[in-house]
Amino acid sequence: MRTRHHLLTMSKPMPKSIPRQMPASRPMTGPMSGPISGPKPILARFRLLAALCAGLPIAGPAAAEPLFWTCNGCHGPDGISRGPHIPTIAGLNFQYFYATMQAFRKDRRQSSVMGRIAKGYKSGQLQRMALHFGSYPWVGTTEPVDPERAQRGRVLHAEHCEECHEQNGHYQDKETPPLAGQAGGYLLHQMQDYRKAGSGMQQPPLMQERLEKLSDADLMALGAFYASDLTRESAEPAPAEETAGTE
């Protein structure tokens, strides 16, 4: 049986819930600017992001860098390789660089991954890459090598290679890459591929003719020479041709 006190208690109105007070909004800040107010900073950042994705030039000293960051992951900081099987690309002749990338892109040059990578870029972006890396001086790197093997490579270079790859392999132009200072393992594999007629690697007929005469040991000696300090010495003069005397 319910008492009167119980009925009175049940009939009391329930207290109303007190609305929670939200803290006052604080201005958003970021490392690129102060407080964000209005649509203009958001629009500016959207345009910046769109320009980066499209590979367009952006004002500032590091404007073009994002296009080349992916190259540095394999080819080393600023395109100077630190690995024996990855080529240095900084300092390559820009026309040679561009032609090589287009050959990768159009499957005219054999590769493991470069063909797939090159297909991800437009011709204009490849041109910008070529101009960027071509703006560096060719430096290359040297590696610890067997002195006797490097000396043997020096003799082979003078006999078979100096005619085109002048200055002990330092010379380059739009059709001739530098050999001195290039990654030794990379050069060895390239020369082995160039030596095979059916490898799919395009090369001048004279180069294949010269390489066919060389063994793997000879190619290793050449690679040791190009990776050594011997390339910095003056090239040995070619034997003087005999000429008929005149009276």
Side-chain angles (χ1 to χ4, degrees):
M1 184 176 186
R2 296 183 179 180
T3 63
R4 187 165 181 259
H5 175 73
H6 179 73
L7 293 176
L8 289 174
T9 303
M10 295 293 293
S11 63
K12 288 182 180 180
M14 297 294 292
K16 295 182 179 180
S17 59
I18 300 175
R20 296 178 58 187
Q21 294 183 354
M22 300 297 292
S25 59
R26 299 174 60 184
M28 297 177 61
T29 59
M32 296 177 60
S33 64
I36 298 177
S37 61
K40 290 184 178 180
I42 298 177
L43 181 59
R45 293 185 183 183
F46 176 79
R47 288 175 177 171
L48 174 63
L49 178 61
L52 289 175
C53 294
L56 298 176
I58 307 165
E65 289 183 3
L67 181 62
F68 319 119
W69 284 344
T70 54
C71 304
N72 296 343
C74 293
H75 295 278
D78 295 325
I80 301 177
S81 176
R82 296 293 184 265
H85 301 289
I86 302 294
T88 288
I89 57 177
L92 288 177
N93 178 278
F94 75 95
Q95 291 176 297
Y96 176 83
F97 184 104
Y98 178 72
T100 301
M101 291 298 292
Q102 285 289 17
F104 282 134
R105 184 174 176 232
K106 299 178 181 180
D107 295 324
R108 294 198 303 259
R109 185 182 176 100
Q110 181 182 352
S111 69
S112 55
V113 297
M114 281 305 304
R116 286 173 285 171
I117 293 175
K119 287 181 174 63
Y121 295 97
K122 299 179 180 179
S123 294
Q125 292 174 314
L126 295 181
Q127 290 176 356
R128 290 179 58 202
M129 281 185 184
L131 290 171
H132 171 76
F133 289 110
S135 67
Y136 289 91
W138 175 259
V139 177
T141 57
T142 58
E143 305 171 11
V145 297
D146 184 332
E148 293 185 4
R149 178 178 288 175
Q151 187 61 44
R152 169 63 178 158
R154 181 179 186 176
V155 175
L156 289 170
H157 171 84
E159 182 181 353
H160 299 281
C161 311
E162 178 67 22
E163 182 178 348
C164 297
H165 297 278
E166 304 172 23
Q167 303 169 13
N168 279 339
H170 284 277
Y171 174 79
Q172 66 167 317
D173 59 19
K174 65 179 182 180
E175 296 178 347
T176 307
L179 303 181
Q182 189 56 277
Y186 166 77
L187 281 182
L188 175 62
H189 292 308
Q190 289 294 105
M191 289 187 290
Q192 288 173 334
D193 285 339
Y194 280 136
R195 190 174 55 182
K196 302 174 185 177
S199 65
M201 298 290 285
Q202 297 180 359
Q203 72 276 342
L206 179 61
M207 183 171 179
Q208 184 180 340
E209 178 184 336
R210 298 285 176 89
L211 289 174
E212 284 178 342
K213 301 175 182 178
L214 302 178
S215 65
D216 283 344
D218 292 334
L219 299 185
M220 293 176 66
L222 281 170
F225 169 63
Y226 296 131
S228 72
D229 290 326
L230 291 176
T231 62
R232 304 182 189 279
E233 301 177 8
S234 60
E236 294 182 1
E241 298 181 0
E242 295 183 1
T243 55
T246 57
E247 296 184 359

